[in-house]
Every structure is written in C-alpha cells, then in structure tokens.
C-alpha cells in the first residue's frame, strides 16, 4: 500500500492527511454536540481521543482500509474531515460548526467520490445518512448521490441511541467508464 502522504486538490479545497499538528483543531471540530449526535466519535472528545483517532487513521491508511483527510481551503487549517472506507465503499464527512454553509462538504464529497471511482476503482460508493439529517441529505443530493433503491434502512445502536441509516449511492455511468 502507498504510504506517501495523500493530498487531493481542486474546487478551492486541499484535502490532506491529518498530522500531529492538527490535534488541537481535531478536538475543536470533533468535540461538538452535532458531531457527537451523528457519529460514533467519543464525547467529550479530548486530547487522548484525538491522539487515538490520529493513530487509528494512520493505521487504517497503511492497511488500505480507510483514508481520512482533513478538509482545508489552504492546505493548513482543517475545517472538517472526509473519509473513504475502501472495504465498504462508503464515504463519511463532517464540517465544523464554524465552517458550515460554505459548500465545503459538497466540494469535498465530489472530490472524494471522484477519487473513489477513479483511483480506488470503486464503481459505486455509498453514504449512510439518518432520514432526519436534512443538511447531509442536501449535501448528498448536491454531490450527485441518490437514495439506493434496493436498500432497507440499517438500524444502529450507538452511545445509547438507536437510529436508522439510509443508503445513498453514486455510481459510474457508461459515459464515465469511457
């Protein structure tokens, strides 16, 4: 597996791997009630959690399982995260509260979707979104995803909360394949 730092650029964004310099901003971004509600991340999210997350993200990249990238506009200050799970073909994303409403998630999702199709050679990628997560549904639609027609909601229990996740998908078209 390629161990060189991964960086994707385009659409006014630089998506780059997390580094130890990001620990404080990771805490700021991930220690948020909305993030805690919608993700399996620890809450509160402290320094030890950030260190563990950074270590696990690096290990997942080296094994080829997942790619975790910080969403930046300048290659430095992280404003959120986008990740690709190469095993399940799924993408996840979050943007910090102070940076929402700027189109960061839509642009990052478009870039990661293209990477998944072209570089990771995944013909289909999915998102798993709660039915009441209207901002995430808007991001999915804007990035060209559509509800999966053959999917039964997955019921998940996490942190004492039970909820459904609906699958949204993006597939390569015949034109995309050449």
């Amino acid at each position: 597996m390629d161990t060189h730092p991964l960086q994707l650029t385009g659409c006014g964004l630089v998506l780059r791997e997390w580094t130890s310099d990001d620990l404080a901003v990771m805490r700021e971004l991930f220690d948020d009630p909305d993030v805690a509600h919608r993700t399996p991340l620890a809450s509160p999210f402290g320094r030890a959690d950030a260190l563990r997350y950074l270590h696990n993200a690096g290990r997942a990249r080296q094994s080829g399982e997942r790619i975790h990238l910080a969403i930046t506009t300048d290659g430095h200050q992280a404003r959120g995260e986008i990740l690709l799970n190469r095993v399940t073909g799924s993408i996840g994303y979050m943007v910090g509260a102070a940076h929402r409403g700027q189109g960061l998630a839509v642009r990052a999702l478009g870039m990661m979707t293209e990477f998944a199709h072209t570089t990771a050679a995944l013909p289909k990628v999915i998102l798993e979104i709660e039915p009441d997560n209207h901002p995430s549904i808007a991001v999915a639609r804007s990035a060209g995803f559509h509800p999966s027609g053959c999917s039964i909601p997955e019921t998940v229990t996490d942190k004492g909360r039970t909820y459904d996740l609906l699958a949204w998908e993006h597939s390569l078209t015949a034109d995309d394949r050449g």
Side-chain angles (χ1 to χ4, degrees):
M1 179 53 42
D2 180 17
T3 57
H4 292 92
L6 178 61
Q7 181 172 294
L8 306 176
T9 58
C11 305
L13 298 179
V14 178
L15 308 179
R16 61 158 178 83
E17 292 188 63
W18 293 104
T19 71
S20 58
D21 292 338
D22 294 312
L23 292 174
V25 76
M26 287 172 81
R27 290 174 56 200
E28 178 184 318
L29 294 170
F30 295 158
D31 192 27
D32 174 276
D34 291 332
V35 173
H37 181 71
R38 301 280 185 196
T39 72
L41 292 173
S43 179
F45 192 88
R47 180 170 172 72
D49 300 304
L51 279 167
R52 191 170 25 263
Y53 192 86
L54 179 64
H55 174 75
N56 290 340
R59 208 171 61 220
R61 164 89 153 89
Q62 289 177 343
S63 73
E65 290 178 35
R66 289 186 316 277
I67 299 166
H68 295 253
L69 300 177
I71 300 170
T72 79
T73 57
D74 59 4
H76 301 288
Q77 180 66 36
R79 301 173 191 290
E81 177 184 61
I82 187 140
L83 68 92
L84 171 64
N85 185 320
R86 295 174 76 141
V87 176
T88 63
S90 62
I91 296 175
Y93 50 87
M94 66 75 54
V95 172
H99 310 290
R100 294 179 188 146
Q102 301 172 32
L104 299 173
V106 171
R107 291 183 281 157
L109 180 56
M111 290 170 65
M112 185 60 87
T113 300
E114 181 179 340
F115 175 87
H117 288 319
T118 59
T119 304
L122 298 172
K124 178 174 84 170
V125 290
I126 63 166
L127 308 173
E128 294 178 314
I129 304 173
E130 291 181 67
D132 69 341
N133 189 343
H134 301 293
S136 193
I137 289 170
V139 167
R141 286 188 195 284
S142 294
F145 281 74
H146 57 85
S148 176
C150 58
S151 174
I152 298 171
E154 177 184 359
T155 301
V156 176
T157 300
D158 181 52
K159 296 189 280 191
R161 186 170 83 90
T162 300
Y163 53 94
D164 289 334
L165 293 172
L166 299 176
W168 289 69
E169 64 183 54
H170 189 283
S171 299
L172 287 175
T173 65
D175 290 341
D176 295 329
R177 293 184 190 114

